[in-house]
């Protein structure tokens, strides 16, 4: 009798969860989670399988982060979500370029279809723009494991879904919240208001944010301009429910973000040079015989958070988002349609040429970028309405995603002669302005379009009350018409007449007559040219699958086994001028995943979920940024951009554990542990090998990858513990909140081949709030103990004759965790009387 009562309770829990959302449509997906009580464990709803279900009843490894928790922790930058979801790493390296790592699998722009797709209101968009700001959020879900047959883009390691707060019909109400923090001069304010226009038919919600601070806080010792990052955004949401069975949600958002940031460095600075012959420069400045050690900047440690470049990199983004979600319950089915568009307007941005400040007084951009980027997402889906006692449930759908990009990267290189005569061994002087004649500008036009057509189906077989089998297939057709058109403008390179492109000299070997150091040398002509044009329009097809079996061993213990496959196409390596076609286009990536999981509800105060997994990769798209290669356009060494990927066979193995507990009255704890390790299966990959000089016949060095070599780009072991303790007082409630995030050693973290050290970051919160939740005032300290840790480390290669002319810079390019931020926060919720 007890077993039957418990089973009925479980089924009631499942269908209560579904009805809570299904009866009201998409507009209220986020409400049940946003209303979580602070002092006890509550039912958590997720949409991992495209319908609202209790987290404990879903045979998927998933984690839900409510909008209330995001607001309570003062999170306006999505990278902080990493602190709440162990195994997920989110970074924004220069206020516009994101990195997403989940289950050890890494994605950055330029690698093609996201390995970890990001969805905003069920539409997949460019993560780099979606991550720029986060406000008025209903819920974020971190979904782990294969996602290829469940939603939009195929993914093997997981996906991130973000749902904005939707309008409702519950009267006029809204909120305003903000924070003010020292250290990084961070100011943020956001708010929203909900207004029903027609009773139970039409409602609107308006929300916005202004966020301003000093970006990552890295300042330059050679510049007076401080770093900065300003984001302002507004959003209009509309819910229309003409009949009970039909709900239409629309959202339009405009976001503008502007940032000035510096490249953080660590090192002792230039070692200087010995005395050299003196001479004159064409503009009359005398050459010096030597330059001193540390002339480009002082010794800098990672805790200094300093750069040496003379002006900041510039980033500007103007982004428009539009999403439409429609759901119609008809004839025992739900017909849903999702549409989304994202448009990034053209605006120039610039990357400083000389982040190591080897050329003092020269701060021109090495790369400027302009362009327009649009994303379109469309999905039509038919689902059976879940009902108790049904033997089969199913979903069928069609998905279309298109991206159009029209970009221009204009790279600048300094050729021999720009800084003096390298054949005479002369060193340049301070405040040197490079000679314009010896600069080479190389614009590359990139026209990139991706089109992905998919048809999919999922079948759920309810074998019994306790056992369920789910199977899905997706057919993918992927087309990527791409044109890379590198060019270079005309220029000159100083050379001996016999070596100058067959003796082709502009001035008959006389050089500049007013400078003795150029006499007897030649201005070799580098003519303007259109180089190899790469057209890439290969249509590729694939079929992927997903199969899952779940079983309730007891009414509160769910076990599941899942296997699935994935396929994704890469993109050509952009912003890598002079790179051969053989290195420009990677192969598609294929992967298969295996997972075993267990979900248990031990009692009302303890839930434990665990999973182990393995992912087998063929031709994994692996990032090799800042690798030296030979630029066949300039005839000089260069370094790969962040958008350079090479195929490597690999295997990922890992485990996850999530524990939600209510150990004592008024205390809620959430603990997450994650372990994942990526190992190569052999083959070759780009490497840094000084013993093999780069040349036109050795464009890039490839080294054997030892089978079993660790490829992790993030720590293998990660853990987070966050908690909330409510302190009931006479007329108000006090609270103490905390989040502790532990990152283990990073085995593959930089050019030095040393492991990144383990570290722990602790965030603390304390304050008071009204008992009805109308207001909240608190203090917070993020990274309260001011821990410092280096996250990434790479060599700096200027990519021209500068490196050979000056020798080592004495610096490495690094990134570190955010410094301590201490401030005050407030929230106020209001409603019309």
């Amino acid at each position: 009798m007890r077993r039957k009562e418990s089973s009925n309770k479980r089924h009631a829990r499942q269908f209560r969860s579904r009805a809570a959302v299904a009866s009201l449509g998409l507009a209220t997906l986020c409400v049940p989670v946003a209303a979580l009580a602070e002092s006890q464990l509550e039912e958590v709803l997720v949409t991992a399988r495209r319908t609202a279900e209790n987290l404990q009843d879903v045979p998927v490894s998933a984690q839900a982060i409510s909008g209330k928790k995001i607001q309570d922790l003062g999170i306006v930058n999505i990278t902080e979500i990493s602190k709440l979801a162990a195994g997920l790493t989110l970074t924004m390296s220069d206020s516009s370029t994101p990195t997403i790592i989940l289950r050890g699998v890494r994605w950055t722009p330029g690698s093609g279809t996201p390995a970890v797709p990001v969805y905003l209101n069920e539409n997949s968009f460019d993560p780099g723009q979606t991550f720029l700001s986060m406000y008025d959020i209903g819920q974020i879900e971190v979904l782990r494991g294969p996602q290829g047959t469940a939603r939009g883009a195929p993914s093997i390691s997981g996906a991130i879904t973000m749902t904005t707060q939707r309008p409702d019909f519950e009267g006029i109400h809204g909120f305003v919240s903000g924070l003010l923090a020292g250290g990084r001069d961070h100011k943020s304010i956001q708010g929203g208001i909900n207004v029903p226009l027609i009773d139970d038919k039409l409602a609107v919600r308006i929300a916005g944010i202004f966020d301003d601070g000093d970006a990552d806080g890295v300042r330059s010792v050679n510049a007076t301009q401080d770093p900065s990052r300003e984001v302002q955004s507004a959003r209009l949401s509309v819910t229309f429910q003409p009949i009970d069975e039909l709900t239409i949600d629309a959202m339009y958002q405009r976001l503008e973000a502007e940032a000035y940031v510096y490249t953080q460095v660590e090192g002792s600075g230039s070692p200087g040079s010995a005395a050299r012959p003196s001479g004159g420069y064409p503009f009359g400045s005398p050459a010096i015989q030597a330059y001193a050690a540390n002339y480009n900047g002082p010794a800098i440690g990672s805790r200094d958070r300093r750069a040496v470049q003379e002006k900041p990199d510039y980033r500007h983004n103007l982004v428009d988002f539009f999403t439409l979600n429609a759901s119609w319950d008809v004839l025992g089915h739900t017909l849903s349609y999702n549409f989304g568009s994202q448009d990034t307007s053209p605006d120039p941005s610039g990357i400083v040429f000389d982040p190591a400040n080897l050329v003092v007084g020269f701060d021109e951009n090495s790369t400027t970028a302009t362009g327009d980027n649009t994303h379109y997402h469309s999905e039509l889906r038919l689902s059976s309405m879940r009902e108790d006692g049904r033997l089969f449930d199913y979903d069928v759908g069609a998905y279309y995603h298109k991206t159009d990009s029209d970009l221009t990267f204009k790279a600048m290189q300094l050729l021999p002669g720009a800084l003096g005569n390298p054949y005479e061994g002369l060193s340049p002087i301070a405040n040197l302005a490079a000679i314009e004649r010896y600069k080479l500008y190389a614009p590359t036009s990139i026209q990139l379009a991706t089109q992905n057509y998919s048809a999919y189906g999922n079948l759920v077989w309810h074998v019994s009350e306790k056992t369920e089998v789910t199977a899905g297939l997706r057919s993918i057709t992927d087309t990527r018409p791409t044109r890379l058109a590198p060019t270079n403008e005309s220029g000159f390179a100083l050379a001996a007449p016999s070596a100058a492109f067959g003796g082709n000299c502009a001035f008959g070997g006389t050089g500049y007559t007013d400078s003795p150091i150029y006499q007897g040398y030649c201005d070799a002509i580098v003519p303007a040219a259109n180089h190899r044009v790469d057209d890439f329009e290969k249509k590729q097809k694939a079929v992927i699958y997903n199969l899952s079996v779940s079983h309730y061993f007891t009414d509160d213990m769910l076990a599941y086994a899942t296997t699935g496959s994935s396929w994704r196409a890469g993109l050509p390596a952009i912003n890598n001028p002079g790179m051969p076609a053989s290195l420009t286009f990677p192969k598609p990536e294929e992967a298969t995943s295996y997972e075993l999981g267990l979900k248990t509800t031990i009692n009302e105060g303890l839930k434990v979920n665990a999973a182990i997994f393995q992912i087998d990769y063929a031709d994994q798209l692996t990032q090799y940024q800042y690798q030296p290669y030979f630029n066949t356009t300039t005839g000089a060494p260069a370094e790969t951009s962040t958008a350079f990927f090479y195929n490597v066979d690999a295997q990922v193995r890992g485990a996850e554990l999530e524990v939600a507990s209510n150990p004592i009255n008024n205390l809620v704890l959430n603990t997450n542990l994650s372990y994942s390790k990526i190992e190569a299966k052999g083959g070759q990959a780009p490497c840094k090998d000084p013993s093999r000089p780069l040349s036109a016949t050795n464009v890039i060095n490839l080294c054997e990858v030892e089978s079993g070599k660790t490829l992790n780009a993030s720590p293998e072991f990660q853990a987070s513990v966050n908690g909330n303790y409510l302190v009931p007082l006479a007329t108000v409630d006090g609270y103490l909140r905390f989040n502790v995030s532990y990152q283990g050693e990073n085995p593959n973290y930089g050019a030095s081949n040393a492991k990144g050290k383990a570290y722990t970051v602790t965030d603390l919160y304390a304050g008071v709030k009204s008992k009805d939740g109308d207001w909240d005032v608190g203090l917070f300290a993020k990274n309260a103990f001011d821990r410092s840790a280096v996250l990434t480390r790479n060599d700096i290669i200027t990519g021209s004759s500068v490196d050979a002319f000056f020798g080592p810079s004495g610096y490495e390019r690094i990134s570190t965790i955010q410094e301590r931020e201490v401030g005050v926060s407030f929230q106020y919720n209001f409603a019309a009387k």
Side-chain angles (χ1 to χ4, degrees):
M1 185 68 176
R2 180 177 300 173
R3 177 181 298 274
K4 183 175 180 180
E5 289 176 351
S6 181
S7 178
N8 290 337
K9 178 181 177 182
R10 169 166 54 82
H11 284 281
R13 178 183 67 199
Q14 291 176 325
F15 285 95
R16 183 172 64 250
S17 301
R18 297 168 187 170
V21 173
S23 63
L24 296 176
L26 291 171
T28 55
L29 274 175
C30 54
V31 174
V33 178
L36 284 174
E38 288 189 84
S39 60
Q40 59 184 3
L41 296 184
E42 290 285 332
E43 183 177 279
V44 177
L45 301 185
V46 295
T47 58
R49 299 197 295 180
R50 306 297 292 273
T51 186
E53 300 174 276
N54 187 291
L55 176 62
Q56 296 303 102
D57 298 321
V58 181
V60 174
S61 180
Q63 184 175 359
I65 302 168
S66 69
K68 183 178 187 306
K69 175 171 282 190
I70 291 170
Q71 195 171 51
D72 286 346
L73 300 182
I75 295 176
V76 293
N77 188 329
I78 197 169
T79 59
E80 292 189 69
I81 295 297
S82 303
K83 298 178 181 179
L84 305 176
L88 173 66
T89 300
L90 302 173
T91 62
M92 294 284 281
S93 61
D94 57 9
S95 296
S96 67
T97 304
T99 296
I100 309 174
I101 304 174
L102 183 61
R103 286 191 166 178
V105 178
R106 178 175 181 162
W107 179 85
T108 61
S111 68
T113 304
V116 184
V118 175
Y119 296 86
L120 179 64
N121 295 340
E122 289 297 334
N123 292 277
S124 60
F125 290 130
D126 175 11
Q129 312 304 325
T130 310
F131 283 3
L132 285 171
S133 183
M134 185 172 58
Y135 64 98
D136 200 30
I137 294 295
Q139 181 160 296
I140 293 178
E141 294 179 20
V142 181
L143 311 177
R144 296 174 168 90
Q147 303 294 314
T149 65
R151 54 176 20 94
S155 167
I156 197 67
S157 63
I160 299 171
T161 68
M162 300 171 59
T163 305
T164 60
Q165 286 280 14
R166 306 290 179 84
D168 61 56
F169 306 119
E170 303 302 315
I172 298 175
H173 59 88
F175 79 99
V176 61
S177 67
L179 61 86
L180 178 64
R184 295 195 297 116
D185 193 25
H186 187 192
K187 304 176 289 293
S188 182
I189 186 167
Q190 61 176 290
I193 184 169
N194 182 93
V195 181
L197 299 179
I198 302 176
D199 287 347
D200 298 325
K201 300 292 184 183
L202 181 66
V204 299
R205 185 180 183 93
I206 300 173
I209 188 172
F210 175 81
D211 187 74
D212 179 65
D214 68 357
D216 57 7
V218 174
R219 290 170 167 77
S220 178
V221 298
N222 293 314
T224 57
Q225 183 175 349
D226 287 336
S228 64
R229 179 178 181 269
E230 180 180 295
V231 175
Q232 46 191 338
S233 180
R235 179 188 301 144
L236 172 66
S237 302
V238 178
T239 292
F240 179 46
Q241 195 169 3
I243 58 177
D244 290 344
E245 294 80 16
L246 176 63
T247 302
I248 300 172
D249 289 287
M251 182 276 287
Y252 170 74
Q253 173 182 301
R254 165 156 282 202
L255 182 148
E256 183 173 14
E258 185 175 51
Y260 293 88
V261 293
Y262 295 95
T263 298
Q264 187 177 359
V265 299
E266 181 181 33
S268 59
S270 170
S273 77
R276 301 186 183 187
S278 62
Y281 280 81
F283 42 83
S285 300
I288 61 171
Q289 291 184 312
Y291 59 97
N294 304 107
Y295 80 97
N296 61 337
I300 294 173
S302 61
R303 289 191 66 92
D304 296 328
R305 306 186 70 84
R306 290 292 180 263
V308 294
Q309 63 196 72
E310 294 172 301
K311 75 173 187 179
D313 296 340
Y314 176 68
R315 295 285 188 274
H316 184 248
N317 295 273
L318 185 63
V319 191
D320 292 298
F321 292 99
F322 175 75
T323 64
L324 175 69
N325 308 103
S327 177
W328 182 26
D329 293 340
V330 56
L331 300 177
H333 290 75
T334 299
L335 181 65
S336 58
Y337 177 69
N338 299 314
F339 173 81
S341 68
Q342 172 201 321
D343 181 75
T344 304
S345 301
D347 197 68
S349 60
I351 301 172
V352 169
F353 171 79
D354 189 16
N357 197 33
L358 283 172
V359 191
V360 177
F362 182 71
D363 56 7
E364 188 169 347
N365 291 336
S366 63
T367 303
T368 56
T370 59
D372 189 35
N373 189 296
T374 58
H375 290 252
Y376 299 97
H377 174 116
S378 185
E379 182 183 31
L380 183 65
R381 179 186 181 93
L382 181 67
S383 306
S384 60
M385 295 185 67
R386 276 35 175 179
E387 295 180 3
D388 200 3
R390 177 175 287 177
L391 185 60
F392 293 101
D393 281 306
Y394 61 87
D395 309 284
V396 292
Y399 166 82
Y400 173 69
H401 184 88
K402 181 181 180 181
T403 300
D404 285 312
S405 299
D406 190 355
L407 306 173
T408 298
F409 290 89
K410 188 173 183 179
M412 185 271 294
Q413 295 282 315
L414 296 184
L415 300 183
L419 305 172
N421 190 337
Y423 301 97
E424 297 293 338
L426 291 173
S427 300
I429 61 171
N431 302 316
L432 174 70
I435 301 172
E436 188 69 29
R437 184 177 187 80
Y438 298 110
K439 296 176 185 175
L440 183 70
Y441 295 94
T444 298
S445 173
I446 302 173
Q447 295 174 329
L448 172 64
T450 64
Q451 298 183 64
N452 186 289
Y453 302 87
S454 298
Y456 63 88
N458 290 282
L459 181 66
V460 181
W461 177 22
H462 305 286
V463 180
S464 68
E465 270 193 350
K466 295 186 175 183
T467 305
E468 180 180 281
V469 177
T470 302
L473 287 174
R474 177 183 290 265
S475 173
I476 302 169
T477 300
D478 188 274
T479 305
R480 301 187 176 231
T482 302
R483 166 164 285 202
L484 297 182
T487 63
N488 68 263
E489 300 172 1
S490 61
F492 298 91
L494 193 72
S498 62
F501 296 91
N504 183 13
C505 290
F507 296 101
T510 59
Y512 284 98
T513 57
D514 59 348
S515 175
I517 67 168
Y518 290 98
Q519 293 301 315
Y521 294 90
C522 167
D523 277 343
I525 299 173
V526 181
N530 295 319
H531 298 278
R532 179 197 77 245
V533 175
D534 290 324
D535 283 306
F536 181 73
E537 193 171 354
K538 185 176 180 181
K539 180 180 288 187
Q540 303 174 97
K541 295 185 177 182
V543 175
I544 61 175
Y545 69 88
N546 191 74
L547 177 64
S548 177
V549 179
S550 61
H551 179 74
Y552 284 94
F553 284 97
T554 69
D555 296 312
D556 291 311
M557 180 183 292
L558 173 68
Y560 64 89
T562 298
T563 183
S565 63
S566 182
W567 179 96
R568 67 187 186 107
L571 291 176
I574 62 175
N575 198 22
N576 291 277
M579 179 173 285
S582 60
L583 295 171
T584 301
F585 298 97
K587 300 176 185 177
E589 171 188 284
E590 299 180 14
T592 305
S593 173
Y594 309 91
E595 179 176 344
L596 296 174
L598 183 68
K599 294 191 171 186
T600 62
T601 302
I602 297 175
N603 54 50
E604 292 184 355
L606 182 61
K607 300 176 182 179
V608 180
N609 300 332
I612 58 174
F613 60 88
Q614 176 176 308
I615 305 174
D616 292 327
Y617 277 100
D619 294 318
Q620 183 183 28
L621 293 165
T622 305
Q623 184 183 34
Y624 286 91
Q625 60 182 351
Y626 309 128
Q627 294 291 318
Y629 76 98
F630 187 80
N631 185 329
T632 56
T633 301
T634 64
E639 66 176 7
T640 60
S641 71
T642 57
F644 178 69
F645 291 79
Y646 199 82
N647 296 108
V648 176
D649 292 343
Q651 183 179 79
V652 186
R653 289 180 175 175
E656 295 156 348
L657 177 67
E658 180 180 4
V659 180
S661 62
N662 187 190
I664 60 174
N665 288 339
N666 299 326
L667 174 63
V668 173
L669 293 176
N670 288 280
T671 302
N672 289 272
L673 308 177
S674 173
Y675 174 83
S676 60
K677 185 174 184 178
I678 306 181
E679 295 181 334
K681 292 184 178 180
Q684 289 188 321
C687 63
K688 299 173 182 178
D689 187 353
S691 68
R692 291 185 286 169
L694 298 174
S695 66
T697 57
N698 184 39
V699 175
I700 197 167
N701 284 322
L702 296 176
C703 299
E704 292 297 324
V705 180
E706 180 183 354
S707 181
K709 176 181 172 59
T710 301
L711 299 178
N712 282 61
S714 63
E716 296 172 352
F717 180 73
Q718 302 176 46
S720 67
V721 180
N722 61 84
N724 185 91
Y725 183 61
L726 195 67
V727 185
L729 302 174
T731 58
V732 297
D733 287 332
Y735 62 81
L736 298 172
R737 301 170 184 148
F738 67 88
N739 186 74
V740 180
S741 176
Y742 172 80
Q743 303 290 314
E745 286 188 343
N746 187 342
N748 190 27
Y749 109 117
S752 63
N753 293 322
K755 291 184 177 181
K757 295 181 179 179
Y759 65 92
T760 302
V761 173
T762 303
D763 298 341
L764 301 175
Y765 307 80
V768 294
K769 58 191 252 345
S770 64
K771 289 187 176 295
D772 56 11
D774 282 349
W775 57 265
D776 179 325
V777 178
L779 302 174
F780 66 87
K782 297 182 180 181
N783 192 6
F785 303 108
D786 202 21
R787 290 300 309 272
S788 177
V790 178
L791 301 178
T792 60
R793 181 186 301 277
N794 285 283
D795 295 329
I796 297 176
I797 302 175
T798 307
S800 70
S801 59
V802 173
D803 299 285
F805 202 89
F806 285 90
S809 70
Y811 293 119
E812 290 181 304
R813 181 197 319 257
I814 67 169
S815 64
T816 57
I817 62 176
Q818 289 283 12
E819 63 186 330
R820 178 166 50 203
E821 184 179 59
V822 179
V824 297
S825 65
F826 72 92
Q827 300 178 40
Y828 176 66
N829 301 299
F830 61 89
K833 302 299 184 184

